[in-house]
């Protein structure tokens, strides 16, 4: 399963709340919040510039800290599945041995829980890239 625009979608406030739950605090948490806030971006195409827009979500790509913050944000996705899960960057794989109808139902439940998690944390999956 692939997150839709993964690094662009991480909601800043929710990320800061997760960092606080994981023990980040004080000046470090404030520094990260400041680093993420008041960011702006614009599009430049063939010399034509569009206006600046506020960036309200996402972690800066090309930075050292951005991918780490992304992993922290999605790290609790494991809590929503009973089967096995593997994560690498913005790809998530859930799997298990399926030999009975009960195990099929368990895997279906895991998939439903992953979708629910993705909605709760505003990190939707790109259905076009999800494969079996």
């Amino acid at each position: 399963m692939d997150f839709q625009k993964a690094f662009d979608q991480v909601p800043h406030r929710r990320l800061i709340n997760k960092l606080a739950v994981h023990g980040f605090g004080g000046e470090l948490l404030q520094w990260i919040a400041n680093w993420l806030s008041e960011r702006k971006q614009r599009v430049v195409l063939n010399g034509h510039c569009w206006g600046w827009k506020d960036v309200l979500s996402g972690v800066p790509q090309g930075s050292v800290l951005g991918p780490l913050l992304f992993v922290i944000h999605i790290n609790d996705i494991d809590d929503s599945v009973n089967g096995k899960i593997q994560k690498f960057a913005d790809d998530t794989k859930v799997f298990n041995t399926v030999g009975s109808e009960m195990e099929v139902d368990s895997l279906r439940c895991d998939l439903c829980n992953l979708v629910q998690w993705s909605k709760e944390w505003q990190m939707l999956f790109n259905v076009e890239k999800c494969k079996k």
Side-chain angles (χ1 to χ4, degrees), residues 26-102:
E27 291 181 6
L28 176 60
L29 186 61
Q30 189 58 53
W31 183 87
I32 293 171
N34 290 343
W35 186 64
L36 292 172
S37 68
E38 298 183 31
R39 300 178 77 83
K40 297 190 179 289
Q41 66 183 15
R42 70 178 179 170
V43 174
V44 178
L45 182 63
N46 294 330
H48 185 285
C49 299
W50 280 260
W52 289 98
K53 299 285 184 185
D54 291 331
V55 176
L56 304 174
S57 64
V59 292
Q61 296 180 43
S63 68
V64 173
L65 191 54
L68 176 62
L69 293 175
F70 175 78
V71 167
I72 290 170
H73 183 65
I74 68 161
N75 196 47
D76 65 346
I77 197 170
D78 300 42
D79 299 343
S80 63
V81 297
N82 292 317
K84 297 174 181 95
I85 193 165
Q86 288 182 337
K87 295 176 285 196
F88 181 77
D90 64 341
D91 293 317
T92 302
K93 293 179 183 178
V94 62
F95 58 97
N96 214 343
T97 303
V98 176
S100 70
E101 196 61 38
M102 191 166 89

Side-chain angles (χ1 to χ4, degrees), residues 1-12 14-19 22 24 58-59 65-81 85-94 113-114 116-125:
M1 300 172 77
D2 184 80
F3 286 107
Q4 204 176 74
K5 299 180 183 176
F7 292 95
D8 296 330
Q9 296 299 316
V10 176
H12 292 163
R14 289 174 180 238
L15 172 61
I16 295 302
N17 289 339
K18 280 192 177 185
L19 290 170
H22 286 297
F24 289 75
V59 292
L65 191 54
L68 176 62
L69 293 175
F70 175 78
V71 167
I72 290 170
H73 183 65
I74 68 161
N75 196 47
D76 65 346
I77 197 170
D78 300 42
D79 299 343
S80 63
V81 297
I85 193 165
Q86 288 182 337
K87 295 176 285 196
F88 181 77
D90 64 341
D91 293 317
T92 302
K93 293 179 183 178
V94 62
N113 289 342
L114 286 172
Q116 182 61 36
W117 181 95
S118 76
K119 290 177 183 176
E120 274 180 43
W121 291 101
Q122 300 173 329
M123 294 293 299
L124 301 179
F125 290 110

